């Protein structure tokens, strides 16, 4: 546990700040009090003051995995703590210290530029490094939690800085200790441990078929480029059409339920997930219910990927959540499977 030193300049306050360009869905939302956090040391005094005044607060990173309401009362902390460096290295591993406000994709690119492969399967995922552990972001057979050494955060319950080792973070599929304790921890720094023994991770079909038999052992940079190409084809650019990437988690079912489903739906798309469990492709389930490309008012389902909900312009949180509810109800009716929303609803 670390104690904060003398605080630097107080966090900049902007009243009634519009957040339309600070969330990837492009939802119209206004923060009553927005504080720009550029240093971890700004947090203790700020949160103490908010507590004394009984002002509610929440932290916001890149806004890529959230659904914002039209109005955010109280304080919104915009986490913009930057900086990244190698802090240690031995024959087996390298340790990287990264500020919570660093852009995730730019960080992944930086690791490859510095000959530190391992994150290439997680290229082009929007958001910040500090938000990534909350959801334990993952793609193409790799989860970010695999590479965590420890996470530094401000614990608002204890009003102190804490360092949580990997085991304490309780990483699981799209889950973590931080997600289980919302609005308690503000991640300020992430320390990664990257093994120097690297091997290509190509188990996902979309990625494997990008490489011919003559190139069965691609470099990390080639995998990075392939992931970027695949994601660009499947997922819309938030700068062009508002979205939060995958909107629903891929549901996990036991063997009995899977056996019943595969009898009724022989084309069911799924993947092994540990002993006697299968992970179903949520996008396939949604597509089978006829939602792909469907539009309801200003929002809809992306025409190229049924797992992605989009804001065509002018949509608000209730539009997105109403569409999501329709999808959940129809998938449950048809398949008996409950879909869980992936983005955080503020």
């Amino acid at each position: 546990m670390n104690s904060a030193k003398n605080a630097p300049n107080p966090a900049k306050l902007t009243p009634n700040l519009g957040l339309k360009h600070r969330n990837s869905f492009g939802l119209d939302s206004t923060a009553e009090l927005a504080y720009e956090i550029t240093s971890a040391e700004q947090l203790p005094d700020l949160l103490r003051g908010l507590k004394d005044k009984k002002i509610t607060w929440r932290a916001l990173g890149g806004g890529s995995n959230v659904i914002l309401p039209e109005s955010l009362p109280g304080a919104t902390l915009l986490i913009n703590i930057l900086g990244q460096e190698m802090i240690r290295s031995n024959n087996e591993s390298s340790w990287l210290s990264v500020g919570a406000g660093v852009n995730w994709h730019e960080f992944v690119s930086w690791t490859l530029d510095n000959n530190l492969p391992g994150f290439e399967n997680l290229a082009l995922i929007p958001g910040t490094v500090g938000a990534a552990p909350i959801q334990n972001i993952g793609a193409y057979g790799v989860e970010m939690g695999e590479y965590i050494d420890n996470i530094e955060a401000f614990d608002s319950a204890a009003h102190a800085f804490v360092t949580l080792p990997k085991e304490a973070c309780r990483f699981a599929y799209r889950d973590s200790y931080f997600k289980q304790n919302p609005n308690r921890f503000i991640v300020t720094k992430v320390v990664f441990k990257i093994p120097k023994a690297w091997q290509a991770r190509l188990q996902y079909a979309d990625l494997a078929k990008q490489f011919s038999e003559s190139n069965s052992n691609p470099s990390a940079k080639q995998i990075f480029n392939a992931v970027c190409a695949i994601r660009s084809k499947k997922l819309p650019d938030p700068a062009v059409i508002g979205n939060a990437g995958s909107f629903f988690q891929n549901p996990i079912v036991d063997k009995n339920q899977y056996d019943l489903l595969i009898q009724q739906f022989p084309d069911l798309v799924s993947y092994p997930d540990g002993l006697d469990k299968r992970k179903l492709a949520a996008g396939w389930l949604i597509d089978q219910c006829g939602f792909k490309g469907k539009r309801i008012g200003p929002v809809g389902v992306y025409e190229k990927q049924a797992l992605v909900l989009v804001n065509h312009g002018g949509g608000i949180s209730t539009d997105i959540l109403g569409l999501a509810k329709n999808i959940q109800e129809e998938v449950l009716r048809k398949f008996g499977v409950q879909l869980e929303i992936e983005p955080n609803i503020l």
Side-chain angles (χ1 to χ4, degrees):
M1 185 175 294
N2 304 319
S3 60
K5 298 179 180 179
N6 293 332
N9 293 330
K12 179 184 176 182
L13 167 62
T14 304
N16 299 315
L17 178 67
L19 299 176
K20 183 175 182 178
H21 300 295
R22 287 181 181 254
N23 74 99
S24 63
F25 252 123
L27 299 172
D28 283 317
S29 180
T30 301
E32 181 182 3
L33 302 169
Y35 291 90
E36 191 86 19
I37 306 299
T38 57
S39 169
E41 285 72 28
Q42 293 171 331
L43 292 170
D45 286 347
L46 174 59
L47 290 184
R48 186 178 292 111
L50 295 175
K51 183 179 180 180
D52 290 344
K53 296 175 184 176
K54 298 183 179 179
I55 297 175
T56 59
W57 62 270
R58 83 283 303 160
L60 183 65
S64 62
N65 198 49
V66 295
I67 304 169
L68 300 182
E70 289 184 271
S71 177
L72 280 171
T76 300
L77 313 186
L78 306 174
I79 308 301
N80 193 28
I81 301 171
L82 304 180
Q84 56 201 36
E85 62 177 337
M86 182 187 294
I87 56 174
R88 181 182 164 201
S89 182
N90 60 25
N91 291 335
E92 289 80 34
S93 303
S94 297
W95 284 259
L96 307 178
S97 175
V98 189
V102 171
N103 177 275
W104 175 263
H105 176 69
E106 292 176 5
F107 164 67
V108 173
S109 181
W110 178 85
T111 61
L112 294 180
D113 290 343
N114 287 273
N115 194 31
L116 297 163
F119 292 112
E120 55 281 345
N121 291 48
L122 304 180
L124 215 59
I125 295 178
T128 59
V129 168
I134 298 170
Q135 194 75 6
N136 187 20
I137 60 171
Y140 301 105
V142 177
E143 288 186 339
M144 185 222 63
E146 300 173 39
Y147 295 97
I148 292 292
D149 183 81
N150 66 77
I151 292 177
E152 295 184 19
F154 187 78
D155 182 349
S156 65
H159 201 80
F161 286 99
V162 296
T163 299
L164 285 80
K166 177 179 179 178
E167 296 74 22
C169 296
R170 301 181 191 174
F171 291 121
Y173 174 61
R174 300 299 183 271
D175 197 14
S176 70
Y177 185 60
F178 306 102
K179 189 173 181 179
Q180 295 161 12
N181 293 272
N183 226 39
R184 175 178 171 181
F185 297 98
I186 300 174
V187 175
T188 57
K189 182 187 294 184
V190 179
V191 177
F192 295 100
K193 180 182 179 182
I194 305 180
K196 291 187 176 179
W198 176 85
Q199 187 173 11
R201 309 269 289 268
L202 303 174
Q203 60 264 50
Y204 267 62
D206 279 349
L207 192 54
K209 66 185 179 183
Q210 291 287 312
F211 301 99
S212 64
E213 292 183 4
S214 61
N215 187 18
S216 59
N217 190 29
S219 69
K221 186 65 175 180
Q222 288 173 320
I223 295 172
F224 172 90
N225 290 334
V227 168
C228 290
I230 293 169
R231 291 184 68 91
S232 295
K233 279 185 179 180
K234 283 189 171 184
L235 304 174
D237 183 350
V240 178
I241 182 169
N243 73 96
S246 298
F247 195 87
F248 297 101
Q249 297 179 16
N250 289 323
I252 297 172
V253 299
D254 60 27
K255 184 178 184 301
N256 290 337
Q257 187 174 6
Y258 172 75
D259 289 343
L260 291 172
L261 284 169
I262 201 69
Q263 289 177 18
Q264 189 175 359
F265 306 99
D267 296 329
L268 178 69
V269 178
S270 69
Y271 311 94
D273 191 80
L275 293 175
D276 297 327
K277 289 188 177 182
R278 301 286 295 190
K279 183 182 291 184
L280 308 183
W284 185 88
L285 300 176
I286 297 167
D287 192 7
Q288 296 304 301
C289 292
F291 282 100
K292 187 188 242 182
K294 188 173 183 178
R295 179 167 178 168
I296 301 177
V299 302
V301 179
Y302 190 48
E303 59 187 13
K304 296 181 181 179
Q305 171 55 268
L307 195 54
V308 178
L309 304 194
V310 297
N311 175 18
H312 293 286
I316 58 176
S317 60
T318 51
D319 296 321
I320 291 290
L321 294 175
L323 173 58
K325 184 179 180 182
N326 289 343
I327 293 171
Q328 288 173 310
E329 290 174 347
E330 186 59 23
V331 169
L332 183 62
R333 185 197 66 78
K334 187 176 180 72
F335 297 101
V337 173
Q338 179 66 51
L339 293 182
E340 300 294 335
I341 293 176
E342 191 166 305
N344 297 316
I345 303 170
L346 296 188

